[in-house]
């Protein structure tokens, strides 16, 4: 029996290549986001040509976009299934605190005796994956809406991060570790290269693996996907685990960018906005449908850069932080209305 496919992800099972007409539709739909990105660059470049268009500011924008890009890959996979993951900031806090407490750090001016090296990185990602598994198991086994489950796990992860933080002085990374994200490789910051690797992995998963194709099918119509033999519960669990792992990795990067450990590391991203807000907004603005089954990783990449450049340009223009938040919120509302209105009959809060 052939695998079910969606209107935005039609791939012949034998060749794995999309029809030419489909590729053209994808390109046409992407022109709006690309055009908006170009307009932002032109406008802010004209307002602040000496600062906005500088190499230093470009590197700063890429560094700021790295964390939401990594989170956005996992969030996109979840939303493609018609679900949502609100646990991002809690998972980042738990994984970030796990990382900094198991690697070389200073606390109260005293160097920590614990240094697991690369294992601290692996352990932190596993913490994120474990919290993602909790999301997936409760959602699929107990049939609790993903909105409720992930909201609860958000606070569970935050609680874990607070317990790990304890009452001692704030842990600080060594200068070498704290400088790693902004060091350049081929002119681009390390943090951005890490995000590129994750984004490429996300594209490979969505386009060339059963996990990605089944995620599209589940989002398009879960009942039909199940009747065609797709193991819906298992696929959902795998996607939530993968999203949790990416959020854990983002927590590590956010700790490295901040240079110190805090359970609320995801509450204020490098771009000045909540990581959860920036990520969900980027996914929606990029064109991934909240109803599931339509969209993709590259669209999320566009959305992340749109919001990151918007925040960066408004900051350089001297706009008050309150107004910047208002503008970002307005952009998100307009994007959600535009994306969800044609599909309003498919949107269900129980998903």
């Amino acid at each position: 029996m052939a695998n079910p496919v969606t209107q935005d992800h039609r791939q012949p099972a034998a060749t794995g290549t999309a029809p030419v007409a489909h590729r053209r539709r994808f390109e046409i739909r992407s022109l709006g986001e690309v055009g908006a990105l170009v307009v932002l660059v032109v406008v802010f470049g004209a307002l602040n040509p000496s600062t906005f268009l500088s190499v230093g500011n470009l590197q700063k924008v890429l560094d700021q976009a790295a964390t939401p890009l990594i989170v956005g890959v996992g969030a996109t996979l979840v939303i493609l299934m018609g679900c949502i993951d609100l646990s991002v900031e809690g998972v980042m806090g738990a994984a970030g605190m796990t990382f900094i407490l198991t690697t070389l750090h200073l606390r109260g001016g005293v160097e920590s005796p614990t240094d697991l090296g690369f294992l601290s990185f692996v352990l932190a990602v596993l913490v994120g994956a474990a919290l993602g598994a909790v999301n997936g198991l409760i959602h699929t086994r107990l049939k609790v809406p993903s909105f409720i489950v992930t909201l609860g796990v958000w606070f569970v992860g935050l609680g874990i991060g607070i317990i790990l933080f304890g009452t001692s002085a704030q842990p600080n990374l060594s200068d070498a570790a704290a400088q790693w994200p902004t060091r350049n490789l081929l002119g681009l910051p390390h943090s951005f290269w890490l995000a590129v690797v994750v984004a490429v992995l996300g594209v490979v998963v969505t386009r060339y693996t059963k996990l990605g194709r089944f995620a599209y099918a589940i989002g398009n119509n879960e009942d039909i996907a199940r009747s065609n033999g797709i193991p819906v519960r298992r696929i959902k669990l795998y996607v939530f685990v993968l999203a949790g792992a990416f959020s854990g990795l983002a927590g590590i990067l956010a700790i490295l960018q901040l240079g110190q450990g805090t359970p609320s590391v995801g509450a204020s991203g490098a771009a000045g906005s909540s990581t959860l807000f920036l990520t969900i907004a980027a996914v929606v603005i990029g064109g991934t449908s909240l109803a599931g089954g339509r969209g993709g990783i590259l669209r999320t990449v566009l959305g992340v850069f749109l919001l990151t450049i918007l925040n960066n340009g408004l900051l350089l223009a001297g706009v008050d932080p309150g107004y910047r938040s208002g503008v970002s919120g307005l952009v998100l509302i307009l994007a959600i209305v535009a994306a969800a209105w044609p599909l309003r009959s498919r949107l269900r809060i129980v998903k």
Side-chain angles (χ1 to χ4, degrees), residues 171-292:
N172 295 284
L173 287 170
S174 64
D175 291 339
Q179 292 169 3
W180 181 86
T182 54
R183 288 177 183 162
N184 293 328
L185 174 64
L186 301 178
L188 303 178
H190 288 166
S191 57
F192 178 69
W193 284 116
L194 178 62
V196 168
V197 171
V198 173
V200 170
L201 177 61
V203 171
V204 171
V205 169
T206 53
R207 292 190 175 185
Y208 305 110
T209 69
K210 288 184 178 180
L211 181 65
R213 292 194 293 270
F214 288 171
Y216 276 99
I218 292 169
N220 191 51
N221 193 308
E222 186 171 322
D223 292 333
I224 292 179
R226 185 178 288 106
S227 66
N228 277 275
I230 292 179
V232 172
R233 291 198 301 184
R234 191 164 69 228
I235 295 300
K236 281 189 172 184
L237 176 60
Y238 291 164
V239 170
F240 273 108
V241 169
L242 191 59
F246 285 146
S247 291
L249 178 60
I252 296 173
L253 178 57
I255 289 290
L256 289 170
Q257 290 175 322
L258 188 62
Q260 56 189 18
T262 171
S264 59
V265 67
S268 181
S273 300
S274 161
T275 302
L276 175 63
F277 170 83
L278 184 59
T279 301
I280 299 299
V283 173
V284 174
I285 290 171
T288 296
S289 171
L290 288 172

Side-chain angles (χ1 to χ4, degrees), residues 33-242:
E33 290 85 357
V34 174
L37 187 62
V38 171
V39 169
L40 286 178
V41 171
V42 171
V43 170
F44 290 130
L47 291 175
N48 299 283
S50 61
T51 53
F52 181 78
L53 297 178
S54 66
V55 174
N57 189 58
L58 171 62
Q59 293 172 338
K60 183 178 180 180
V61 167
L62 295 178
D63 181 51
Q64 290 174 342
T67 299
L69 272 176
I70 293 173
V71 176
V73 172
T76 301
L77 288 170
V78 172
I79 292 176
L80 284 174
M81 298 190 303
C83 301
I84 195 164
D85 185 0
L86 302 180
S87 65
V88 167
E89 293 180 9
V91 175
M92 288 178 63
M97 287 304 302
T98 300
F99 169 74
I100 195 170
L101 294 180
T102 55
T103 193
L104 189 63
H105 65 276
L106 299 174
R107 198 162 197 172
V110 179
E111 187 173 276
S112 69
T114 305
D115 183 13
L116 300 182
F118 181 73
L119 287 178
S120 63
F121 175 88
V122 175
L123 183 60
V125 173
L126 289 177
V127 167
L131 290 172
V134 172
N135 283 329
L137 288 171
I138 296 177
H139 172 59
T140 58
R141 301 294 176 176
L142 302 181
K143 300 188 183 303
V144 179
S146 58
F147 177 91
I148 302 299
V149 175
T150 57
L151 185 63
V153 172
W154 175 2
F155 290 100
V156 170
L158 182 61
I160 293 173
I162 292 173
I163 291 173
L164 291 175
F165 185 85
T167 57
S168 303
Q170 193 168 42
N172 295 284
L173 287 170
S174 64
D175 291 339
Q179 292 169 3
W180 181 86
T182 54
R183 288 177 183 162
N184 293 328
L185 174 64
L186 301 178
L188 303 178
H190 288 166
S191 57
F192 178 69
W193 284 116
L194 178 62
V196 168
V197 171
V198 173
V200 170
L201 177 61
V203 171
V204 171
V205 169
T206 53
R207 292 190 175 185
Y208 305 110
T209 69
K210 288 184 178 180
L211 181 65
R213 292 194 293 270
F214 288 171
Y216 276 99
I218 292 169
N220 191 51
N221 193 308
E222 186 171 322
D223 292 333
I224 292 179
R226 185 178 288 106
S227 66
N228 277 275
I230 292 179
V232 172
R233 291 198 301 184
R234 191 164 69 228
I235 295 300
K236 281 189 172 184
L237 176 60
Y238 291 164
V239 170
F240 273 108
V241 169
L242 191 59

